[in-house]
Amino acid sequence: METMQQIVGQARAAFNSGRCRSLGFRMQQLKALERMVQEKEKEILAALKADLHKSGPSAYSHEILGVLKELALAMDKLPSWAAPQPVKRDLLTMRDEAYVCPEPLGVVLIIGAWNYPFVLVMQPLIGAIAAGNAVVVKPSEICENMARLVSDLLPQYLDQELYPVVTGGVPETTELLKQRFDHILYTGNSTVGKIVMAAAAKHLTPVTLELGGKSPCYIDKDCDLAVACRRITWGKYMNCGQTCIAPDYILCDPSIQSEVVENIKATLQEFYGEDVKSSPDYERIVNKRHFKRILGLLDGQKIAHGGEADEASCFIAPTILTDVSPESKVMEEEIFGPVLPILTVKNVDEAIEFINRREKPLALYVFSNNKKV
């Protein structure tokens, strides 16, 4: 069995050979990746179903369609992206021809996420290949079916020395992070993000971290509540709440709280029917550890809707909490599950103050007909 040092060393040797620098080679690899997605669509969808209970249409639109569009864009734009760009000359360069020439960085590490286990590996991989890099791919071990599939498929379609796949859990990732890379891309939580950044700092390796946060929704009294609640319901409960930019909590005036709840309940019934558990469109929590973590957030809370759970299938029903205290446990961490707390504020200024007192969110959703808001 190869060590992490050997895997990274082999990728670096392949990069140093220069074969991934030509646009023709990059285009060839991107086309091979496109062929893989098209030819193995059924296998990809089956892995998503097994890991997250994702239905066909939902899985295709969230995971496959985006990858195909990214590939089409990269192949269309690659010649212009890679072309030298002339820059304005100054006193030091006035007698020269000055250009900015895009150069491959070298060996890139991609650490994928489990909530969208295919697209969050493939999209950065597409960019790294297009830029002429070698790439070590580390899919999330939490979605074991997808990790196994990626490990099996990529060597069948891509250059095996330039684009190796590493599987495994924390020990393997820890060992991988000891190696020197030229860029690291990680999608996941802040705790692991700090570990990745600390490991990268030892080699002065630049990083791209896509981390989560508690993304608030502010609902103004004068907005169309039916439209606002429909959009929030879709964004919150899609993928069982396991989306980094999902609405985390709602801020609204006390006078509309009950109406917000009723609108969300009506939309949930429209989306998933009377029996959510039997709906083919409702996903599951990824594993029992996260299942127990999310259930723990409900302790002592006022449940206005939902709350049903089944540990055997990692099912947690779409849940709404009302009259939530800002100091409660559910407001301390990113929920990353199908639980939606509602907190009341008197006006937009109080909502802004509330949000600004906390860590900066990844996204913010505002529903209002007042443009000044």
Side-chain angles (χ1 to χ4, degrees):
M1 186 177 178
E2 287 183 301
T3 66
M4 298 302 168
Q5 189 175 7
Q6 288 173 324
I7 292 169
V8 177
Q10 185 181 56
R12 191 166 296 283
F15 174 79
N16 289 337
S17 74
R19 68 175 180 266
C20 59
R21 296 182 71 94
S22 76
L23 292 193
F25 180 87
R26 300 184 211 180
M27 196 70 78
Q28 179 192 58
Q29 296 298 299
L30 291 172
K31 287 179 179 176
L33 199 57
E34 181 183 51
R35 194 170 72 253
M36 181 195 85
V37 177
Q38 292 169 338
E39 292 177 357
K40 301 299 181 180
E41 180 184 312
K42 287 183 180 178
E43 289 87 343
I44 295 165
L45 293 176
L48 291 167
K49 179 76 172 178
D51 286 328
L52 290 161
H53 197 259
K54 286 195 178 187
S55 69
S58 175
Y60 183 85
S61 62
H62 296 164
E63 302 263 3
I64 292 178
L65 192 59
V67 172
L68 291 174
K69 287 185 175 181
E70 193 86 4
L71 280 162
L73 176 68
M75 289 187 284
D76 179 52
K77 298 291 185 181
L78 183 54
S80 62
W81 287 346
Q85 303 295 323
V87 294
K88 190 176 180 180
R89 290 175 289 184
D90 58 21
L91 284 172
L92 293 175
T93 59
M94 62 185 301
R95 296 175 65 85
D96 305 319
E97 288 188 19
Y99 295 90
V100 173
C101 295
E103 288 284 319
L105 289 173
V107 181
V108 173
L109 171 63
I110 295 172
I111 304 175
W114 55 260
N115 57 327
Y116 291 89
F118 187 68
V119 69
L120 291 180
V121 166
M122 292 300 134
Q123 284 191 333
L125 176 61
I126 291 164
I129 291 173
N133 298 291
V135 187
V136 177
V137 177
K138 171 60 182 70
S140 173
E141 73 281 4
I142 293 176
C143 283
E144 56 185 30
N145 293 283
M146 183 57 73
R148 193 162 47 245
L149 184 65
V150 168
S151 177
D152 180 46
L153 291 184
L154 282 188
Q156 295 180 37
Y157 287 85
L158 299 182
D159 186 301
Q160 295 182 27
E161 293 180 341
L162 280 165
Y163 314 111
V165 181
V166 173
T167 57
V170 174
E172 289 80 7
T173 306
T174 302
E175 192 60 33
L176 199 52
L177 284 170
K178 292 178 183 177
Q179 312 307 313
R180 186 178 73 81
F181 292 94
D182 299 292
H183 200 96
I184 298 175
L185 299 102
Y186 167 72
T187 302
N189 64 61
S190 300
T191 302
V192 178
K194 291 175 184 177
I195 295 170
V196 171
M197 201 164 191
K202 292 178 181 178
H203 302 286
L204 295 179
T205 300
V207 297
T208 300
L209 304 178
E210 198 278 272
L211 309 176
K214 292 185 77 65
S215 299
C217 291
Y218 174 67
I219 305 178
D220 205 20
K221 280 196 297 185
D222 74 340
C223 78
D224 187 327
L225 279 184
V227 171
C229 293
R230 185 180 177 83
R231 291 174 180 174
I232 291 169
T233 303
W234 176 80
K236 176 64 182 181
Y237 299 108
M238 175 179 71
N239 203 33
C240 208
Q242 299 166 124
T243 303
C244 59
I245 56 171
D248 192 273
Y249 61 92
I250 290 174
L251 297 172
C252 68
D253 189 278
S255 65
I256 63 169
Q257 180 177 232
S258 60
E259 199 175 344
V260 167
V261 171
E262 291 307 312
N263 274 280
I264 293 174
K265 286 167 62 176
T267 307
L268 284 169
Q269 185 169 339
E270 179 190 346
F271 284 178
Y272 305 115
E274 289 284 353
D275 183 7
V276 182
K277 192 176 180 182
S278 65
S279 170
D281 299 315
Y282 190 69
E283 292 84 1
R284 296 294 184 267
I285 302 303
V286 69
N287 59 25
K288 286 182 169 55
R289 181 173 70 85
H290 282 283
F291 173 88
K292 291 174 181 176
R293 177 188 63 80
I294 295 165
L295 274 193
L297 299 178
L298 302 183
D299 291 345
Q301 295 297 326
K302 181 180 176 182
I303 298 175
H305 180 74
E308 300 84 10
D310 174 36
E311 184 174 350
S313 61
C314 288
F315 166 81
I316 298 178
T319 300
I320 307 168
L321 308 178
T322 53
D323 302 320
V324 175
S325 166
E327 285 74 41
S328 61
K329 189 178 177 182
V330 76
M331 293 304 296
E332 289 178 359
E333 62 182 68
E334 183 182 11
I335 296 168
F336 224 64
V339 176
L340 182 58
I342 301 177
L343 295 89
T344 57
V345 290
K346 295 173 185 175
N347 51 48
V348 67
D349 292 326
E350 188 178 328
I352 292 170
E353 184 184 343
F354 181 90
I355 295 165
N356 285 340
R357 283 200 307 266
R358 295 167 176 267
E359 290 291 326
K360 191 171 288 186
L362 195 59
L364 167 67
Y365 304 99
V366 178
F367 297 90
S368 176
N369 289 326
N370 184 351
K371 291 187 177 181
K372 290 181 180 180
V373 170

